[in-house]
Amino acid sequence: MKIKIDKNLCIGCGSCVSVCEDCFELTDDNKACVKQDNQCNCDDECIKQVVDICPVNAIEVENNK
Ligand code: SF4
C-alpha cells in the first residue's frame, strides 16, 4: 500500500497526523508528508479513516497488493 499526499491541496490542518502519528508528520512548510521511516502497520480501516478525515481529499492510496 502506497500513500500519496497532494501537497498542492494540503492545507496543513493536521488531521491526518492526529489519526496516525506513526505515518504522517507536518513539514516546516506546514504540509503533511508520509514519514520516511514509516514503522506503522496501518490496516485498511486506519488508512480509510485518514483518507476520510482529510477535508480537501489530498490523501490518495494506491493499493498494489
Ligand atoms: Fe493536509 Fe489533509 Fe493531512 Fe490536513 S488531513 S494535514 S489537509 S493531508
Short mmCIF file of all heavy atoms in Angstrom, two decimals:
data_model
loop_
_atom_site.label_atom_id
_atom_site.label_comp_id
_atom_site.label_asym_id
_atom_site.label_seq_id
_atom_site.Cartn_x
_atom_site.Cartn_y
_atom_site.Cartn_z
N MET A 1 0.84 -1.20 0.00
CA MET A 1 0.00 0.00 0.00
C MET A 1 0.88 1.24 0.00
O MET A 1 1.79 1.37 0.80
CB MET A 1 -0.88 -0.01 1.24
CG MET A 1 -2.02 0.94 1.13
SD MET A 1 -3.57 0.25 1.68
CE MET A 1 -3.17 -0.57 3.21
N LYS A 2 0.58 2.14 -0.93
CA LYS A 2 1.39 3.34 -1.02
C LYS A 2 0.49 4.55 -0.78
O LYS A 2 -0.56 4.68 -1.39
CB LYS A 2 1.97 3.40 -2.44
CG LYS A 2 3.24 4.18 -2.52
CD LYS A 2 3.85 4.03 -3.90
CE LYS A 2 4.76 5.20 -4.14
NZ LYS A 2 5.00 5.48 -5.54
N ILE A 3 0.95 5.42 0.14
CA ILE A 3 0.15 6.61 0.45
C ILE A 3 0.79 7.82 -0.21
O ILE A 3 1.99 8.03 -0.10
CB ILE A 3 0.08 6.83 1.98
CG1 ILE A 3 -0.44 5.57 2.67
CG2 ILE A 3 -0.80 8.03 2.31
CD1 ILE A 3 -0.26 5.60 4.17
N LYS A 4 -0.04 8.60 -0.87
CA LYS A 4 0.47 9.81 -1.51
C LYS A 4 -0.31 11.01 -1.01
O LYS A 4 -1.52 10.95 -0.84
CB LYS A 4 0.30 9.71 -3.03
CG LYS A 4 1.36 8.91 -3.70
CD LYS A 4 1.50 9.19 -5.19
CE LYS A 4 0.24 9.50 -5.93
NZ LYS A 4 0.37 9.38 -7.40
N ILE A 5 0.40 12.11 -0.79
CA ILE A 5 -0.26 13.34 -0.38
C ILE A 5 -0.04 14.40 -1.45
O ILE A 5 1.10 14.66 -1.86
CB ILE A 5 0.28 13.84 0.97
CG1 ILE A 5 -0.02 12.80 2.05
CG2 ILE A 5 -0.34 15.18 1.35
CD1 ILE A 5 0.59 13.11 3.39
N ASP A 6 -1.12 15.00 -1.91
CA ASP A 6 -1.01 16.09 -2.87
C ASP A 6 -0.76 17.38 -2.09
O ASP A 6 -1.66 17.93 -1.45
CB ASP A 6 -2.31 16.20 -3.68
CG ASP A 6 -2.19 17.20 -4.80
OD1 ASP A 6 -1.38 18.15 -4.67
OD2 ASP A 6 -2.88 17.05 -5.82
N LYS A 7 0.49 17.82 -2.13
CA LYS A 7 0.88 18.99 -1.32
C LYS A 7 0.24 20.28 -1.80
O LYS A 7 0.15 21.25 -1.07
CB LYS A 7 2.40 19.13 -1.31
CG LYS A 7 3.05 18.00 -0.54
CD LYS A 7 4.44 18.36 -0.05
CE LYS A 7 4.90 17.30 0.91
NZ LYS A 7 6.03 17.71 1.72
N ASN A 8 -0.20 20.28 -3.05
CA ASN A 8 -0.89 21.48 -3.54
C ASN A 8 -2.26 21.62 -2.92
O ASN A 8 -2.78 22.72 -2.78
CB ASN A 8 -1.02 21.42 -5.07
CG ASN A 8 0.33 21.51 -5.75
OD1 ASN A 8 1.19 22.27 -5.31
ND2 ASN A 8 0.52 20.73 -6.79
N LEU A 9 -2.84 20.49 -2.54
CA LEU A 9 -4.17 20.52 -1.93
C LEU A 9 -4.11 20.67 -0.42
O LEU A 9 -4.99 21.26 0.20
CB LEU A 9 -4.94 19.24 -2.28
CG LEU A 9 -5.35 19.04 -3.74
CD1 LEU A 9 -6.02 17.68 -3.91
CD2 LEU A 9 -6.31 20.14 -4.18
N CYS A 10 -3.08 20.10 0.19
CA CYS A 10 -2.99 20.05 1.65
C CYS A 10 -2.99 21.46 2.26
O CYS A 10 -2.29 22.35 1.80
CB CYS A 10 -1.70 19.32 2.06
SG CYS A 10 -1.44 19.30 3.84
N ILE A 11 -3.84 21.62 3.29
CA ILE A 11 -3.92 22.92 3.97
C ILE A 11 -3.26 22.87 5.36
O ILE A 11 -3.39 23.80 6.15
CB ILE A 11 -5.39 23.38 4.11
CG1 ILE A 11 -6.25 22.30 4.82
CG2 ILE A 11 -5.98 23.72 2.74
CD1 ILE A 11 -7.64 22.76 5.19
N GLY A 12 -2.61 21.76 5.65
CA GLY A 12 -1.86 21.66 6.91
C GLY A 12 -2.71 21.63 8.16
O GLY A 12 -2.29 22.09 9.21
N CYS A 13 -3.90 21.06 8.04
CA CYS A 13 -4.81 21.07 9.20
C CYS A 13 -4.34 20.12 10.30
O CYS A 13 -4.74 20.25 11.45
CB CYS A 13 -6.22 20.71 8.76
SG CYS A 13 -6.39 18.98 8.30
N GLY A 14 -3.55 19.13 9.94
CA GLY A 14 -3.00 18.21 10.94
C GLY A 14 -3.90 17.05 11.30
O GLY A 14 -3.57 16.24 12.16
N SER A 15 -5.04 16.94 10.65
CA SER A 15 -5.97 15.86 10.99
C SER A 15 -5.36 14.49 10.74
O SER A 15 -5.55 13.57 11.55
CB SER A 15 -7.26 15.98 10.16
OG SER A 15 -7.92 17.16 10.48
N CYS A 16 -4.66 14.35 9.64
CA CYS A 16 -4.07 13.03 9.34
C CYS A 16 -3.04 12.67 10.40
O CYS A 16 -2.94 11.52 10.81
CB CYS A 16 -3.46 13.02 7.94
SG CYS A 16 -2.27 14.33 7.64
N VAL A 17 -2.29 13.66 10.87
CA VAL A 17 -1.28 13.41 11.90
C VAL A 17 -1.94 12.97 13.19
O VAL A 17 -1.45 12.07 13.88
CB VAL A 17 -0.42 14.67 12.14
CG1 VAL A 17 0.65 14.41 13.19
CG2 VAL A 17 0.22 15.15 10.85
N SER A 18 -3.09 13.58 13.50
CA SER A 18 -3.75 13.21 14.75
C SER A 18 -4.33 11.80 14.68
O SER A 18 -4.44 11.13 15.69
CB SER A 18 -4.81 14.24 15.14
OG SER A 18 -5.85 14.25 14.21
N VAL A 19 -4.68 11.34 13.47
CA VAL A 19 -5.16 9.97 13.34
C VAL A 19 -4.00 8.99 13.43
O VAL A 19 -4.07 7.97 14.10
CB VAL A 19 -5.92 9.76 12.00
CG1 VAL A 19 -6.23 8.28 11.77
CG2 VAL A 19 -7.22 10.55 12.01
N CYS A 20 -2.91 9.30 12.75
CA CYS A 20 -1.79 8.36 12.75
C CYS A 20 -0.44 9.09 12.76
O CYS A 20 0.07 9.48 11.72
CB CYS A 20 -1.87 7.42 11.56
SG CYS A 20 -0.62 6.12 11.67
N GLU A 21 0.08 9.30 13.95
CA GLU A 21 1.36 9.99 14.11
C GLU A 21 2.52 9.15 13.60
O GLU A 21 3.61 9.66 13.34
CB GLU A 21 1.62 10.31 15.58
CG GLU A 21 0.75 11.41 16.11
CD GLU A 21 1.06 11.74 17.56
OE1 GLU A 21 1.77 10.95 18.21
OE2 GLU A 21 0.57 12.77 18.03
N ASP A 22 2.31 7.85 13.49
CA ASP A 22 3.39 6.98 13.00
C ASP A 22 3.60 7.12 11.50
O ASP A 22 4.69 6.90 10.99
CB ASP A 22 3.08 5.52 13.32
CG ASP A 22 3.13 5.25 14.81
OD1 ASP A 22 3.83 6.00 15.51
OD2 ASP A 22 2.47 4.30 15.26
N CYS A 23 2.54 7.46 10.81
CA CYS A 23 2.62 7.54 9.34
C CYS A 23 2.87 8.95 8.84
O CYS A 23 3.56 9.16 7.86
CB CYS A 23 1.32 7.08 8.71
SG CYS A 23 1.09 5.32 8.70
N PHE A 24 2.23 9.93 9.49
CA PHE A 24 2.23 11.29 8.94
C PHE A 24 2.91 12.28 9.87
O PHE A 24 2.89 12.14 11.08
CB PHE A 24 0.79 11.77 8.70
CG PHE A 24 0.02 10.90 7.77
CD1 PHE A 24 -0.82 9.92 8.26
CD2 PHE A 24 0.15 11.04 6.40
CE1 PHE A 24 -1.53 9.10 7.39
CE2 PHE A 24 -0.55 10.23 5.52
CZ PHE A 24 -1.39 9.26 6.02
N GLU A 25 3.48 13.31 9.26
CA GLU A 25 4.01 14.42 10.04
C GLU A 25 3.83 15.69 9.22
O GLU A 25 3.67 15.63 8.00
CB GLU A 25 5.48 14.20 10.38
CG GLU A 25 6.39 14.12 9.19
CD GLU A 25 7.82 13.75 9.57
OE1 GLU A 25 8.13 13.71 10.77
OE2 GLU A 25 8.61 13.49 8.65
N LEU A 26 3.87 16.82 9.92
CA LEU A 26 3.79 18.09 9.21
C LEU A 26 5.19 18.62 8.99
O LEU A 26 6.03 18.58 9.88
CB LEU A 26 2.96 19.11 10.01
CG LEU A 26 1.45 18.88 10.06
CD1 LEU A 26 0.79 19.95 10.94
CD2 LEU A 26 0.82 18.91 8.67
N THR A 27 5.45 19.10 7.80
CA THR A 27 6.77 19.63 7.48
C THR A 27 6.85 21.11 7.84
O THR A 27 5.85 21.71 8.24
CB THR A 27 7.07 19.45 5.98
OG1 THR A 27 6.04 20.10 5.24
CG2 THR A 27 7.10 17.98 5.59
N ASP A 28 8.02 21.69 7.68
CA ASP A 28 8.22 23.09 8.05
C ASP A 28 7.32 24.04 7.27
O ASP A 28 6.96 25.11 7.74
CB ASP A 28 9.69 23.50 7.82
CG ASP A 28 10.59 22.80 8.83
OD1 ASP A 28 10.07 22.27 9.83
OD2 ASP A 28 11.81 22.76 8.59
N ASP A 29 6.98 23.64 6.05
CA ASP A 29 6.09 24.49 5.25
C ASP A 29 4.61 24.19 5.53
O ASP A 29 3.73 24.57 4.77
CB ASP A 29 6.41 24.39 3.76
CG ASP A 29 6.34 22.95 3.26
OD1 ASP A 29 6.14 22.04 4.08
OD2 ASP A 29 6.48 22.74 2.04
N ASN A 30 4.37 23.48 6.65
CA ASN A 30 3.01 23.19 7.10
C ASN A 30 2.21 22.36 6.10
O ASN A 30 1.04 22.61 5.86
CB ASN A 30 2.27 24.49 7.42
CG ASN A 30 1.29 24.28 8.56
OD1 ASN A 30 1.53 23.46 9.45
ND2 ASN A 30 0.18 25.00 8.52
N LYS A 31 2.88 21.38 5.53
CA LYS A 31 2.21 20.42 4.67
C LYS A 31 2.44 19.05 5.27
O LYS A 31 3.50 18.78 5.86
CB LYS A 31 2.82 20.44 3.25
CG LYS A 31 2.77 21.77 2.57
CD LYS A 31 1.40 22.06 2.02
CE LYS A 31 1.38 23.41 1.30
NZ LYS A 31 0.03 23.72 0.79
N ALA A 32 1.47 18.18 5.09
CA ALA A 32 1.63 16.83 5.61
C ALA A 32 2.53 16.02 4.68
O ALA A 32 2.56 16.24 3.48
CB ALA A 32 0.27 16.16 5.72
N CYS A 33 3.28 15.12 5.27
CA CYS A 33 4.02 14.17 4.45
C CYS A 33 4.03 12.82 5.15
O CYS A 33 3.79 12.72 6.35
CB CYS A 33 5.44 14.66 4.16
SG CYS A 33 6.53 14.63 5.56
N VAL A 34 4.28 11.79 4.35
CA VAL A 34 4.39 10.45 4.90
C VAL A 34 5.80 10.29 5.43
O VAL A 34 6.77 10.64 4.76
CB VAL A 34 4.12 9.40 3.80
CG1 VAL A 34 4.23 8.00 4.38
CG2 VAL A 34 2.74 9.62 3.20
N LYS A 35 5.90 9.84 6.66
CA LYS A 35 7.22 9.69 7.26
C LYS A 35 8.08 8.71 6.47
O LYS A 35 7.61 7.65 6.07
CB LYS A 35 7.09 9.18 8.69
CG LYS A 35 6.64 10.26 9.66
CD LYS A 35 6.74 9.74 11.08
CE LYS A 35 6.44 10.84 12.08
NZ LYS A 35 6.51 10.36 13.46
N GLN A 36 9.32 9.08 6.28
CA GLN A 36 10.25 8.22 5.53
C GLN A 36 10.49 6.90 6.25
O GLN A 36 10.57 5.85 5.65
CB GLN A 36 11.59 8.93 5.33
CG GLN A 36 11.53 10.14 4.43
CD GLN A 36 11.05 9.80 3.03
OE1 GLN A 36 11.47 8.81 2.47
NE2 GLN A 36 10.15 10.61 2.48
N ASP A 37 10.62 7.00 7.57
CA ASP A 37 10.89 5.80 8.35
C ASP A 37 9.60 5.22 8.90
O ASP A 37 9.51 4.82 10.04
CB ASP A 37 11.86 6.12 9.49
CG ASP A 37 11.28 7.17 10.43
OD1 ASP A 37 10.32 7.84 10.04
OD2 ASP A 37 11.80 7.30 11.54
N ASN A 38 8.61 5.21 8.03
CA ASN A 38 7.29 4.75 8.43
C ASN A 38 7.31 3.34 9.02
O ASN A 38 7.53 2.37 8.31
CB ASN A 38 6.37 4.81 7.20
CG ASN A 38 4.97 4.38 7.52
OD1 ASN A 38 4.66 4.09 8.67
ND2 ASN A 38 4.13 4.35 6.52
N GLN A 39 7.11 3.28 10.33
CA GLN A 39 7.12 1.98 11.01
C GLN A 39 5.71 1.48 11.28
O GLN A 39 5.50 0.52 12.01
CB GLN A 39 7.85 2.09 12.35
CG GLN A 39 9.29 2.53 12.25
CD GLN A 39 10.13 1.48 11.55
OE1 GLN A 39 9.96 0.29 11.78
NE2 GLN A 39 11.03 1.91 10.68
N CYS A 40 4.77 2.18 10.74
CA CYS A 40 3.39 1.90 11.08
C CYS A 40 2.85 0.71 10.30
O CYS A 40 3.15 0.55 9.13
CB CYS A 40 2.54 3.13 10.77
SG CYS A 40 0.83 2.92 11.22
N ASN A 41 2.08 -0.11 10.98
CA ASN A 41 1.43 -1.22 10.28
C ASN A 41 -0.05 -0.93 10.17
O ASN A 41 -0.88 -1.69 10.63
CB ASN A 41 1.64 -2.53 11.06
CG ASN A 41 3.09 -2.89 11.11
OD1 ASN A 41 3.76 -2.88 10.09
ND2 ASN A 41 3.57 -3.22 12.29
N CYS A 42 -0.35 0.17 9.56
CA CYS A 42 -1.75 0.57 9.45
C CYS A 42 -2.55 -0.49 8.71
O CYS A 42 -2.10 -1.03 7.71
CB CYS A 42 -1.87 1.87 8.66
SG CYS A 42 -1.58 3.30 9.69
N ASP A 43 -3.74 -0.74 9.22
CA ASP A 43 -4.61 -1.64 8.48
C ASP A 43 -5.53 -0.80 7.57
O ASP A 43 -5.49 0.42 7.59
CB ASP A 43 -5.42 -2.52 9.44
CG ASP A 43 -6.22 -1.69 10.42
OD1 ASP A 43 -6.38 -0.48 10.19
OD2 ASP A 43 -6.68 -2.26 11.43
N ASP A 44 -6.32 -1.47 6.79
CA ASP A 44 -7.16 -0.78 5.82
C ASP A 44 -8.11 0.21 6.49
O ASP A 44 -8.40 1.28 5.96
CB ASP A 44 -7.99 -1.79 5.03
CG ASP A 44 -7.12 -2.59 4.07
OD1 ASP A 44 -5.92 -2.27 3.97
OD2 ASP A 44 -7.64 -3.52 3.44
N GLU A 45 -8.58 -0.17 7.67
CA GLU A 45 -9.55 0.67 8.37
C GLU A 45 -8.92 2.00 8.78
O GLU A 45 -9.52 3.07 8.65
CB GLU A 45 -10.05 -0.09 9.61
CG GLU A 45 -11.36 0.38 10.14
CD GLU A 45 -12.44 0.52 9.08
OE1 GLU A 45 -12.61 -0.39 8.24
OE2 GLU A 45 -13.09 1.58 9.08
N CYS A 46 -7.70 1.94 9.26
CA CYS A 46 -6.97 3.13 9.67
C CYS A 46 -6.70 4.04 8.48
O CYS A 46 -6.92 5.24 8.54
CB CYS A 46 -5.66 2.71 10.34
SG CYS A 46 -4.59 4.07 10.79
N ILE A 47 -6.26 3.44 7.38
CA ILE A 47 -6.00 4.22 6.17
C ILE A 47 -7.27 4.90 5.67
O ILE A 47 -7.27 6.06 5.30
CB ILE A 47 -5.43 3.29 5.05
CG1 ILE A 47 -4.08 2.71 5.48
CG2 ILE A 47 -5.31 4.04 3.74
CD1 ILE A 47 -2.95 3.68 5.53
N LYS A 48 -8.36 4.15 5.71
CA LYS A 48 -9.64 4.69 5.25
C LYS A 48 -10.03 5.90 6.11
O LYS A 48 -10.52 6.90 5.61
CB LYS A 48 -10.70 3.59 5.36
CG LYS A 48 -12.03 3.97 4.76
CD LYS A 48 -12.95 2.76 4.77
CE LYS A 48 -14.35 3.12 4.30
NZ LYS A 48 -15.02 4.11 5.17
N GLN A 49 -9.78 5.78 7.42
CA GLN A 49 -10.11 6.87 8.34
C GLN A 49 -9.31 8.13 7.99
O GLN A 49 -9.84 9.24 8.00
CB GLN A 49 -9.74 6.40 9.75
CG GLN A 49 -10.56 7.01 10.84
CD GLN A 49 -10.08 6.54 12.20
OE1 GLN A 49 -9.54 5.45 12.34
NE2 GLN A 49 -10.25 7.36 13.20
N VAL A 50 -8.06 7.94 7.67
CA VAL A 50 -7.21 9.08 7.33
C VAL A 50 -7.67 9.72 6.02
O VAL A 50 -7.78 10.94 5.92
CB VAL A 50 -5.72 8.65 7.21
CG1 VAL A 50 -4.86 9.79 6.73
CG2 VAL A 50 -5.23 8.15 8.55
N VAL A 51 -7.97 8.89 5.04
CA VAL A 51 -8.44 9.41 3.75
C VAL A 51 -9.74 10.18 3.96
O VAL A 51 -9.92 11.28 3.42
CB VAL A 51 -8.63 8.26 2.73
CG1 VAL A 51 -9.34 8.75 1.48
CG2 VAL A 51 -7.29 7.64 2.36
N ASP A 52 -10.63 9.62 4.78
CA ASP A 52 -11.92 10.26 5.01
C ASP A 52 -11.82 11.56 5.80
O ASP A 52 -12.61 12.47 5.61
CB ASP A 52 -12.86 9.30 5.77
CG ASP A 52 -13.37 8.18 4.88
OD1 ASP A 52 -13.16 8.26 3.66
OD2 ASP A 52 -13.96 7.23 5.42
N ILE A 53 -10.84 11.64 6.69
CA ILE A 53 -10.77 12.80 7.58
C ILE A 53 -10.17 14.02 6.88
O ILE A 53 -10.40 15.15 7.29
CB ILE A 53 -9.98 12.46 8.87
CG1 ILE A 53 -10.46 13.32 10.03
CG2 ILE A 53 -8.47 12.60 8.68
CD1 ILE A 53 -9.93 12.89 11.38
N CYS A 54 -9.44 13.80 5.81
CA CYS A 54 -8.80 14.94 5.13
C CYS A 54 -9.87 15.81 4.48
O CYS A 54 -10.61 15.35 3.62
CB CYS A 54 -7.82 14.43 4.08
SG CYS A 54 -7.04 15.80 3.21
N PRO A 55 -9.95 17.08 4.88
CA PRO A 55 -11.03 17.94 4.40
C PRO A 55 -10.89 18.34 2.93
O PRO A 55 -11.84 18.82 2.32
CB PRO A 55 -10.93 19.17 5.30
CG PRO A 55 -9.54 19.19 5.80
CD PRO A 55 -9.08 17.76 5.86
N VAL A 56 -9.71 18.14 2.36
CA VAL A 56 -9.52 18.58 0.97
C VAL A 56 -9.16 17.41 0.04
O VAL A 56 -8.72 17.61 -1.09
CB VAL A 56 -8.43 19.68 0.89
CG1 VAL A 56 -8.92 20.96 1.54
CG2 VAL A 56 -7.13 19.22 1.53
N ASN A 57 -9.36 16.20 0.55
CA ASN A 57 -9.08 14.99 -0.25
C ASN A 57 -7.67 14.97 -0.84
O ASN A 57 -7.48 14.65 -2.01
CB ASN A 57 -10.11 14.84 -1.39
CG ASN A 57 -11.49 14.56 -0.86
OD1 ASN A 57 -11.65 13.85 0.14
ND2 ASN A 57 -12.49 15.13 -1.50
N ALA A 58 -6.72 15.34 -0.02
CA ALA A 58 -5.34 15.39 -0.51
C ALA A 58 -4.62 14.04 -0.40
O ALA A 58 -3.54 13.88 -0.94
CB ALA A 58 -4.56 16.45 0.27
N ILE A 59 -5.23 13.09 0.30
CA ILE A 59 -4.56 11.82 0.53
C ILE A 59 -5.09 10.75 -0.42
O ILE A 59 -6.29 10.53 -0.50
CB ILE A 59 -4.74 11.36 1.99
CG1 ILE A 59 -4.22 12.44 2.94
CG2 ILE A 59 -4.01 10.04 2.23
CD1 ILE A 59 -4.52 12.18 4.40
N GLU A 60 -4.16 10.15 -1.13
CA GLU A 60 -4.52 9.09 -2.07
C GLU A 60 -3.82 7.81 -1.68
O GLU A 60 -2.66 7.84 -1.27
CB GLU A 60 -3.99 9.47 -3.46
CG GLU A 60 -5.04 9.89 -4.44
CD GLU A 60 -4.39 10.17 -5.78
OE1 GLU A 60 -3.85 9.22 -6.37
OE2 GLU A 60 -4.38 11.35 -6.17
N VAL A 61 -4.49 6.72 -1.86
CA VAL A 61 -3.88 5.44 -1.54
C VAL A 61 -3.86 4.57 -2.78
O VAL A 61 -4.87 4.41 -3.46
CB VAL A 61 -4.67 4.72 -0.43
CG1 VAL A 61 -4.07 3.35 -0.16
CG2 VAL A 61 -4.66 5.55 0.85
N GLU A 62 -2.68 4.08 -3.10
CA GLU A 62 -2.57 3.12 -4.19
C GLU A 62 -2.46 1.75 -3.57
O GLU A 62 -1.51 1.47 -2.84
CB GLU A 62 -1.31 3.40 -5.02
CG GLU A 62 -1.46 4.56 -5.95
CD GLU A 62 -0.13 4.93 -6.58
OE1 GLU A 62 0.79 4.10 -6.59
OE2 GLU A 62 -0.02 6.07 -7.02
N ASN A 63 -3.39 0.93 -3.86
CA ASN A 63 -3.36 -0.41 -3.30
C ASN A 63 -2.76 -1.35 -4.33
O ASN A 63 -3.39 -1.71 -5.31
CB ASN A 63 -4.77 -0.85 -2.92
CG ASN A 63 -4.74 -1.97 -1.91
OD1 ASN A 63 -3.75 -2.68 -1.81
ND2 ASN A 63 -5.81 -2.13 -1.16
N ASN A 64 -1.52 -1.69 -4.10
CA ASN A 64 -0.86 -2.56 -5.07
C ASN A 64 -0.62 -3.98 -4.54
O ASN A 64 0.34 -4.62 -4.88
CB ASN A 64 0.45 -1.91 -5.55
CG ASN A 64 1.28 -1.44 -4.39
OD1 ASN A 64 0.99 -1.79 -3.23
ND2 ASN A 64 2.30 -0.64 -4.65
N LYS A 65 -1.53 -4.37 -3.67
CA LYS A 65 -1.43 -5.75 -3.16
C LYS A 65 -1.80 -6.74 -4.24
O LYS A 65 -2.73 -6.49 -5.01
CB LYS A 65 -2.41 -5.92 -2.00
CG LYS A 65 -1.75 -5.64 -0.66
CD LYS A 65 -2.74 -6.03 0.45
CE LYS A 65 -2.59 -5.10 1.64
NZ LYS A 65 -3.71 -5.17 2.55
FE1 SF4 B 1 -3.08 18.03 4.80
FE2 SF4 B 1 -5.27 16.53 4.55
FE3 SF4 B 1 -3.40 15.91 6.39
FE4 SF4 B 1 -4.96 18.06 6.73
S1 SF4 B 1 -5.63 15.91 6.70
S2 SF4 B 1 -2.72 17.97 7.05
S3 SF4 B 1 -5.19 18.78 4.60
S4 SF4 B 1 -3.16 15.90 4.12
#
